């Protein structure tokens, strides 16, 4: 934080009290489906013990988990409605500076990816950087269904913009894949190119 000024102040304060300080930054995204930077600080009154200390290596899974691997989506969850954004909160998301600058796509979690760092203040920070998970009406269960409200005006434009962003992203990915296949065919030699042509004819 503050370009390292906060950490330097903490370390200096501990050292002024006679401690030898060791600290390390770990990101547990290789173990959890979220970006989770955490700083661990160890302070020793014994300088020799501090010199011997070594942080353990962070274990990495062969296949890091995604949000879809851990999410639980119970059918007709009666408590889910209380966590859904109200229409006013959704408007704040759509009209926030962050959404206007970067689009809506980064604010809605792709379940095949990792979530941003989880925040207990997601409702308060809705207008800036909070990330949200989409739910269906079935998952909302009985009671007042906030997702059933007809989307119009600013909110409707926000959704249309999001769909356009997804379409543009898909188009870019398809173009990149086509270019990669083209280059792979070009480097495969004359015989390989002829074989590819035969496959296309089939």
């Amino acid at each position: 934080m503050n370009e390292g000024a906060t950490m330097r102040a903490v370390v200096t304060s501990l050292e002024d009290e006679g401690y030898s300080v060791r600290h390390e930054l770990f990101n547990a995204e290789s173990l959890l489906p979220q970006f989770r930077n955490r700083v661990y600080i160890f302070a020793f009154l014994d300088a020799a013990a501090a010199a011997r200390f070594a942080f353990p290596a962070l274990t990495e899974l062969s296949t890091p988990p995604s949000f879809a691997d851990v999410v639980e989506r119970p059918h007709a969850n009666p408590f889910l409605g209380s966590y859904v954004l109200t229409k006013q909160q959704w408007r704040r998301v759509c009209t926030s500076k962050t959404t206007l600058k970067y689009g809506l796509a980064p604010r809605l979690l792709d379940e095949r990816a990792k979530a941003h760092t989880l925040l207990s203040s997601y409702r308060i920070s809705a207008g800036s950087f909070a990330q949200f998970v989409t739910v269906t009406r079935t998952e909302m269960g009985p009671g007042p269904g906030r997702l059933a409200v007809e989307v119009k005006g600013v909110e409707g434009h926000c959704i249309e913009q999001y769909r356009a962003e997804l379409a543009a992203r898909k188009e870019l990915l398809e173009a990149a894949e086509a270019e990669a296949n083209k280059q792979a065919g070009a480097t495969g030699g004359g015989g390989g190119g002829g074989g590819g042509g035969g496959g296309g004819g089939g």
Side-chain angles (χ1 to χ4, degrees):
M1 293 183 292
N2 300 325
E3 299 182 349
T6 301
M7 175 58 74
R8 287 192 295 270
V10 171
V11 172
T12 298
S13 297
L14 288 169
E15 290 175 340
D16 289 345
E17 296 296 325
Y19 289 94
S20 296
V21 181
R22 302 290 304 277
H23 59 85
E24 191 70 60
L25 174 67
F26 288 101
N27 191 338
E29 64 177 345
S30 62
L31 301 172
L32 302 171
Q34 65 166 295
F35 185 84
R36 191 177 180 86
N37 266 338
R38 291 296 183 269
V39 176
Y40 293 86
I41 302 174
F42 289 82
F44 300 82
L45 287 174
D46 184 345
R52 293 192 303 268
F53 177 79
F55 281 93
L58 186 65
T59 302
E60 293 192 8
L61 300 178
S62 56
T63 305
S66 67
F67 180 78
D69 295 324
V70 299
V71 65
E72 295 183 3
R73 288 187 174 279
H75 177 69
N77 186 337
F79 302 103
L80 193 57
S82 62
Y83 294 101
V84 176
L85 294 180
T86 64
K87 187 175 182 180
Q88 290 72 26
Q89 289 169 329
W90 178 241
R91 175 180 286 269
R92 283 179 54 207
V93 173
C94 293
T95 58
S96 70
K97 292 181 179 179
T98 305
T99 300
L100 294 176
K101 183 176 181 179
Y102 299 107
L104 184 62
R107 310 297 303 278
L108 300 179
L109 177 60
D110 181 348
E111 295 192 6
R112 299 164 297 178
K114 296 179 182 294
H116 296 170
T117 301
L118 300 182
L119 301 172
S120 60
S121 60
Y122 76 98
R123 294 194 186 203
I124 300 174
S125 58
S128 54
F129 51 83
Q131 194 176 37
F132 306 98
V133 178
T134 57
V135 293
T136 65
R137 288 184 177 86
T138 300
E139 291 169 328
M140 284 287 293
R146 290 172 180 166
L147 293 185
V149 177
E150 187 177 358
V151 179
K152 295 181 180 179
V154 175
E155 294 85 351
H157 174 72
C158 194
I159 290 294
E160 292 303 319
Q161 181 186 24
Y162 172 61
R163 289 172 178 164
E165 290 170 13
L166 292 184
R169 181 183 297 181
K170 180 180 179 182
E171 193 172 310
L172 286 174
L173 289 174
E174 290 177 347
E177 183 178 359
E179 180 63 24
N181 291 336
K182 180 179 179 181
Q183 292 182 1
T187 58

